[in-house]
Amino acid sequence: MALIVQKYGGTSVGTPERIRNCARRILETQRAGNQVVAVVSAMSGVTDNLIKLAKEVSPEQDPIEREMDVLLSTGEQTTIALTAMAIHALGGKAVSLTGAQAGISTDRVHTKARIVNITPDAVHKMLDAGNIVMLAGFQGETASGEITTLGRGGSDLTAIAMAAAIKADLCQIYTDVDGVYTCDPRVVKTAQKIQEISYEEMLEMASSGSKVMQSRSVEFANKFGVRFEVRNSMNNNPGTLVKEETPGMESVVVRGVSLERNQAKVTIDDVADRPGISAAIFGAIASANVIIDMIVQNVSFDGITDISFTLSAADLPKAEASLKAVLPTLGEKAQLRTTSGIAKVSVVGIGMRSHSGVAAKMFKALADGGINIQMISTSEIKTAVIVQESEVENAARAIHTAFGLDV
Ligand code: ADP
Ligand code: ASP
Ligand code: MG
C-alpha cells in the first residue's frame, strides 16, 4: 500500500463533469490499494472572479488582505466539498478538510503566507479510517486562527508540503497538459514534453514565467527533497518527473524557454553617481513591497548616470509613487520614466554551467528575427532578455528553434 498525494488544478475541476472525472481517478487510485490525499484548486476562473468582486466593492483602495484571504479560500472550499460528494456518489468514502483542519500552519502574511508547520494528525486519522482526504489547496491558518492563502498557484505548494509532511510515496500534480514542456505548448506548438527535469531548472523556469508550477512549491520540493510528477488529468500519458540533478542532466545545454508578459521598466535618468543612490532607489521600492527583477546601471559620465529596472506591470503605480517621494534626493536633474508593454524571454538549463555560447546563440536568433533586445540579464543557469511584448511569442519560437528544441 502506498501513500499518494494528488493535486488537481483549476481546469481539471472546472466543470461538474470534470470534478466527476477527478473523483473517478482518485477513487481508482485508492481502489488499487493506496491511501490518497487529493488536493484541489478552485474551479477555473473562480479565484479571478473573487478578486474582481473584491476590487468592485473596494474601488477606493486595495481590499483588506485579511478579508481577501477569507474570500479567496472559499474557492477551494467549494471544490473539496463537491469532489467529496462526487466520490460518495461513485460509491467511495471521502472527507473534505480545509487547510486549517488539515493542520497547515502559516505565518501571518495575508495573500502570500508561508507554511511554517504541518500537523497532519487529522489527515492520518481520516486516511486510517478508510477515507480519501479531499484537501483544500492554497490555504492555511495562522497560530491565532486567521485564514491565510499561499499566493497564486498555491495549491501546488499545498500538495508538495503535505507530501513532505506525511512522507508520501508519490506526489502527482495533475493539470491540463501532459507535463512540463520545453516551452508553453500554447505558445510554441512544437514544444516537447520533458521526461525529467532538475528542481533547479524547474525553479528557474517557473520563476521566469512557466507557470505550470508555482515557483514557491518547487523551492519547497527542492528544500525537502520531494520528487513529484506533473501529469495530465485527462489521460494516462507519462508526465514529467521533477527531481534532484543527476550527472546526465548537464549534457542538455538548454532545457527550456520561458516567457513572462506584463512586465514594465522604470528608468531614472540623470541620477548622481555617488554612494547611497541605489540604496535610496531600491529602499523606496522595497518599502512599497514591490519585487524587482533585472537592474541595469549605465557607465557614468560627468558624475551622472542612469538606472533602469524591471518589475511586474501591476506594481508600476506603487513603484512610481514610492520613487516620486525620493526623486529630489537622487540628483538635481533626476527624472523618472516608465515603459510598459514589455515582456521577458529566458532560456534555462543546468548545462549552461559547462557550455559556452548560449547567449550568443540566443541573440543571433533574435537578430535573425529582427527582434530588438532592450535589456539582458544572466545567471548561472539562465539567460534572459526583455523585448517588446508584441514580439515575445515570435522571440520564444525563434529561440526554441535555434536551440533545437522543436519536436
Ligand atoms: P493548473 O490549473 O492545473 O494549476 P496552470 O494553468 O497553473 O494549471 O498550469 C498549466 C498551464 O501552464 C498549461 O496549460 C500551459 O499553458 C502553461 N505552461 C506555461 N509554461 C509551460 C511549460 N513549460 N510546460 C507546460 N505548461 C506550461
Ligand atoms: N485558486 C488559486 C489560484 O487560482 C490557487 C491555485 O489554483 O493553485 O491561484
Ligand atoms: Mg497552477
Side-chain angles (χ1 to χ4, degrees):
M1 186 172 68
L3 180 51
I4 301 177
V5 173
Q6 299 187 329
K7 178 255 168 176
Y8 293 89
T11 314
S12 303
V13 292
T15 63
E17 294 71 36
R18 287 189 175 179
I19 290 182
R20 278 178 62 89
N21 167 60
C22 294
R24 223 170 277 121
R25 295 177 74 107
I26 296 165
L27 197 52
E28 269 168 24
T29 310
Q30 190 203 35
R31 286 185 173 154
N34 305 299
Q35 288 191 319
V36 189
V37 176
V39 176
V40 279
S41 292
M43 295 169 77
S44 56
V46 166
T47 308
D48 287 340
N49 268 336
L50 292 171
I51 293 172
K52 193 164 150 260
L53 277 173
K55 287 186 178 151
E56 279 169 14
V57 297
S58 177
E60 294 81 6
Q61 58 171 59
D62 285 346
I64 303 173
E65 291 189 330
R66 178 192 184 279
E67 303 309 330
M68 243 0 234
D69 280 350
V70 174
L71 178 71
L72 296 189
S73 63
T74 63
E76 273 68 15
Q77 199 165 325
T78 306
T79 330
I80 48 171
L82 290 174
T83 316
M85 288 172 195
I87 292 171
H88 278 270
L90 293 167
K93 245 175 94 176
V95 171
S96 63
L97 294 179
T98 63
Q101 288 173 321
I104 300 178
S105 305
T106 73
D107 62 18
R108 293 159 54 187
V109 184
H110 283 292
T111 76
K112 38 185 172 302
R114 285 186 177 272
I115 296 177
V116 290
N117 185 36
I118 298 185
T119 317
D121 299 357
V123 173
H124 283 301
K125 207 170 121 200
M126 297 299 178
L127 289 173
D128 292 345
N131 293 292
I132 287 164
V133 171
M134 287 307 314
L135 172 59
F138 177 55
Q139 54 176 268
E141 176 183 64
T142 65
S144 55
E146 303 279 326
I147 297 173
T148 48
T149 63
L150 310 176
R152 296 306 306 265
S155 300
D156 294 335
L157 178 58
T158 304
I160 285 169
M162 187 51 78
I166 62 175
K167 301 194 173 56
D169 300 295
L170 200 56
C171 179
Q172 301 174 315
I173 308 291
Y174 283 99
T175 181
D176 58 0
V177 286
D178 279 6
V180 180
Y181 281 71
T182 49
C183 191
D184 186 340
R186 288 190 217 198
V187 174
V188 176
K189 300 285 176 239
T190 51
Q192 323 176 44
K193 185 172 66 191
I194 300 168
Q195 275 180 6
E196 285 188 352
I197 183 170
S198 67
Y199 293 125
E200 226 185 316
E201 288 168 321
M202 186 70 251
L203 182 57
E204 283 281 12
M205 282 183 70
S207 53
S208 58
S210 298
K211 300 235 162 62
V212 57
M213 286 300 299
Q214 186 212 30
S215 59
R216 279 169 65 184
S217 73
V218 184
E219 214 177 333
F220 194 103
N222 186 17
K223 195 161 162 196
F224 293 96
V226 182
R227 286 182 168 201
F228 62 93
E229 296 172 351
V230 181
R231 307 181 58 141
N232 195 323
S233 66
M234 306 292 171
N235 63 39
N236 289 315
N237 295 343
T240 301
L241 182 62
V242 186
K243 58 177 215 172
E244 60 292 338
E245 181 179 335
T246 51
M249 282 182 180
E250 245 186 87
S251 60
V252 177
V253 183
V254 168
R255 182 78 54 196
V257 178
S258 296
L259 55 158
E260 189 152 36
R261 299 168 212 268
N262 300 321
Q263 301 295 293
K265 181 167 66 177
V266 173
T267 302
I268 309 168
D269 290 306
D270 297 335
V271 293
D273 187 17
R274 60 174 154 78
I277 293 294
S278 294
I281 294 172
F282 296 105
I285 294 291
S287 56
N289 279 322
V290 169
I291 296 173
I292 52 154
D293 188 10
M294 297 184 190
I295 304 177
V296 174
Q297 175 173 341
N298 259 335
V299 175
S300 75
F301 184 74
D302 267 352
I304 295 285
T305 185
D306 57 62
I307 296 181
S308 296
F309 60 90
T310 64
L311 69 173
S312 160
D315 285 336
L316 194 53
K318 270 200 276 184
E320 258 188 294
S322 66
L323 283 173
K324 276 191 182 138
V326 294
L327 200 61
T329 67
L330 303 177
E332 270 171 40
K333 295 190 194 146
Q335 283 180 56
L336 194 61
R337 260 190 306 141
T338 61
T339 316
S340 47
I342 56 173
K344 185 170 73 168
V345 189
S346 313
V347 295
V348 172
I350 46 179
M352 283 163 67
R353 287 187 199 129
S354 48
H355 293 79
S356 57
V358 172
K361 198 181 225 176
M362 184 179 184
F363 301 160
K364 170 87 169 42
L366 293 169
D368 291 347
I371 297 165
N372 190 39
I373 300 171
Q374 301 187 15
M375 275 168 114
I376 301 169
S377 84
T378 59
S379 74
E380 200 190 13
I381 67 162
K382 183 176 79 179
T383 303
V385 297
I386 295 287
V387 298
Q388 206 58 35
E389 181 150 11
S390 55
E391 293 183 319
V392 70
E393 296 203 354
N394 284 339
R397 286 186 205 113
I399 293 167
H400 196 267
T401 304
F403 284 98
L405 297 174
D406 296 337
V407 177

